[in-house]
Amino acid sequence: MRSVIEQVPSSLSARVPVEQRGAGLGRDAVRLLLSRGTEVSSHAFVELPRLLRAGDLLVVNTSVTLSAAVDGCLGHARVVVHFSTRGDDGRWAVEVREPDGKGTTRARGARGTLAGATVGLPGGVRLVLEDPLSARGDRLWWARPSEPDVVGLLRRYGRPIRYSYTERDQPLGAYQTVFALPSPEGMGSAEMPSAARPFTARLVTELVSRGVLFAPVTLHTGVASAEAHEPPYPERFAVPEASARLINAVRADRRAGRGAGRVIAVGTTAVRAVESAADAEGVVRPREGWTDLVLTPERGVRVVDGLLTGLHEPEASHLLMLEAVAGRAAVARGYEEALARRYLWHEFGDLHLLLP
């Protein structure tokens, strides 16, 4: 399918967090594009409370971001391992990349199979690459670490994954959202659930005071493809009973005419989690485990009415999810306006709110 946009100028990449772009700026100092169908308007993100209404429900991802990039050696070559997802058997899905000399990484390219290769990591840890994660390709591998406490390894030696459009390394705190909650087993996301990054405690308080509701879910995001923009691989998720009950109540009240609240996902990860827990009628059940759901316009959405998300590149599979939520015409019109108004892309960039 032809993308709704052709190309994003590199000048529109957000290279540092907004709070580093000027004195006195906070995380919420980004811009917000609002799409209601094909009607588009531009706002400051701090205006979000007045753009929503009492009874609206924001579904938020509570996953913490891990320091998922670790330096290593493959034979005599320096590599960087991106730890993506822990499997049920103790192995980890990883991507092995090479340093690009600029503080970031690039794909290793066609260099033969990695099956059976061993990557040396700090602290004497060894990582044996066993099987490709998927028949789609060999970018991600199931790897068995000699040290079972990989989360501890990441804490000691890791750093946040950084992509080439960013200007410099950032501390892990720059990649945590206000909704992040440490999980009992220490698991988290390889990449930040970035749509929630501009929220602050003050903004959340204002939203609550205006009658906006929150439903926490968890989806631990894996490593995205910086080059190929593949659909997401299976990821761990959880929708707790209280959140499922709240989502169902908001939808039932609206159908019965007792309220006008909408279910609005904060980020594509929240969409994937809640839609993975819904049955064919759109009733959300408490669930946890793995999801391999890929949302497309053909599949559609069963629960989510709206979506707050960042701006995605033309090749990104996330654009199909946006079209599933809002329709192709609305997404195309919104992106046309984002380009014209020079909105900023990527995890430190501006936001897009798509409403019915």
Side-chain angles (χ1 to χ4, degrees):
M1 179 183 289
R2 188 167 174 266
S3 175
V4 296
I5 49 175
E6 293 299 316
Q7 188 175 8
V8 179
S10 61
S11 60
L12 297 187
S13 294
R15 303 190 184 282
V16 295
V18 63
E19 61 270 24
Q20 297 177 18
R21 296 178 210 152
L25 295 179
R27 284 185 172 215
D28 55 7
V30 296
R31 291 189 290 170
L32 177 66
L33 192 72
L34 172 61
S35 291
R36 287 191 174 99
T38 56
E39 295 182 5
V40 184
S41 55
S42 189
H43 305 268
F45 185 75
V46 291
E47 297 178 62
L48 180 65
R50 72 172 182 81
L51 299 176
L52 300 180
R53 58 196 185 205
D56 280 341
L57 175 64
L58 295 180
V59 182
V60 297
N61 187 359
T62 63
S63 181
V64 302
T65 307
L66 301 175
S67 295
V70 180
D71 293 325
C73 292
L74 182 59
H76 297 294
R78 293 177 57 227
V79 295
V80 178
V81 178
H82 288 177
F83 283 83
S84 181
T85 307
R86 186 180 68 186
D88 293 332
D89 60 359
R91 297 189 298 176
W92 279 74
V94 303
E95 181 179 14
V96 179
R97 297 174 66 86
E98 64 181 22
D100 63 1
K102 303 174 184 176
T104 53
T105 63
R106 57 184 169 231
R108 295 184 68 250
R111 300 194 179 188
T113 181
L114 288 172
T118 297
V119 179
L121 298 175
V125 176
R126 299 180 310 282
L127 192 66
V128 179
L129 305 174
E130 296 186 346
D131 307 296
L133 186 64
S134 166
R136 282 192 232 155
D138 58 1
R139 181 177 70 88
L140 291 175
W141 285 79
W142 283 118
R144 192 172 300 280
S146 61
E147 164 58 60
D149 184 17
V150 170
V151 173
L153 174 80
L154 302 182
R155 195 178 299 119
R156 291 190 300 273
Y157 302 110
R159 60 185 179 276
I161 291 174
R162 177 188 157 202
Y163 290 115
S164 59
Y165 50 77
T166 57
E167 187 174 291
R168 55 182 175 268
D169 287 346
Q170 298 291 338
L172 183 60
Y175 292 89
Q176 303 295 7
T177 76
V178 72
F179 303 112
L181 291 172
S183 64
E185 69 277 16
M187 293 303 299
S189 290
E191 298 181 0
M192 170 177 56
S194 56
R197 189 183 190 278
F199 283 85
T200 63
R202 179 176 178 175
L203 187 66
V204 171
T205 301
E206 184 178 354
L207 287 163
V208 171
S209 72
R210 288 174 176 259
V212 175
L213 306 170
F214 288 84
V217 299
T218 302
L219 187 136
H220 297 315
T221 64
V223 175
S225 168
E227 292 83 21
H229 299 285
E230 304 156 332
Y233 286 89
E235 294 168 319
R236 290 182 179 273
F237 82 104
V239 176
E241 183 177 356
S243 292
R245 190 183 304 121
L246 185 55
I247 293 166
N248 292 333
V250 168
R251 298 183 74 242
D253 284 350
R254 190 176 71 236
R255 289 196 301 270
R258 296 189 296 266
R262 300 159 295 187
V263 177
I264 302 167
V266 178
T268 57
T269 61
V271 179
R272 196 181 197 203
V274 74
E275 292 288 334
S276 296
D279 64 19
E281 304 303 317
V283 177
V284 179
R285 311 289 185 188
R287 279 193 63 191
E288 62 179 295
W290 292 87
T291 177
D292 59 3
L293 178 64
V294 177
L295 287 158
T296 64
E298 292 72 30
R299 191 272 190 187
V301 291
R302 298 168 180 169
V303 180
V304 171
D305 302 305
L307 172 61
L308 177 68
T309 184
L311 294 161
H312 304 283
E313 292 179 331
E315 306 91 345
S317 61
H318 292 310
L319 284 175
L320 293 176
M321 182 187 292
L322 270 62
E323 291 182 32
V325 174
R328 184 175 177 82
V331 177
R333 179 70 188 92
Y335 272 70
E336 178 183 280
E337 192 70 11
L339 286 169
R341 292 181 178 270
R342 299 192 63 79
Y343 270 61
L344 295 181
W345 260 248
H346 303 303
E347 66 266 35
F348 298 136
D350 296 314
L351 273 291
H352 187 191
L353 176 60
L354 298 115
L355 293 177

